[in-house]
Amino acid sequence: MTEKRDGNERTVDPKLLELLACPLTKGPLTWDAERGELVSRVARLAYPVRDGIPIMLPSEARSLAAGEEG
């Protein structure tokens, strides 16, 4: 995964983001630059990215709180 740091803001290569999918729902993911997570809105999970590597394990994902869009 390409994770770039522009000052404090982190970005992900959009082409790579198109290829990644939630392992549970097989649906799309969105990038939350503030938290450095890949978010599955359907599964209501946020997958961490550590050292530029997405951790796509449901057991490592954070559940989204009510009203949290990610």
Side-chain angles (χ1 to χ4, degrees), residues 4-65:
K4 301 174 188 173
R5 294 179 187 243
D6 304 321
N8 289 335
E9 185 179 343
R10 294 178 255 176
T11 61
V12 173
D13 183 344
K15 290 184 182 183
L16 182 59
L17 192 56
E18 289 177 17
L19 297 174
L20 294 173
C22 174
L24 294 177
T25 67
K26 309 301 186 237
L29 297 168
T30 58
W31 174 243
D32 181 349
E34 186 176 309
R35 292 181 179 249
E37 298 173 324
L38 292 166
V39 177
S40 171
R41 291 186 177 140
V42 174
R44 307 226 14 97
L45 293 173
Y47 297 95
V49 176
R50 298 184 189 130
D51 297 322
I53 300 169
I55 311 301
M56 303 300 289
L57 300 170
S59 61
E60 292 287 320
R62 177 178 68 82
S63 294
L64 297 179

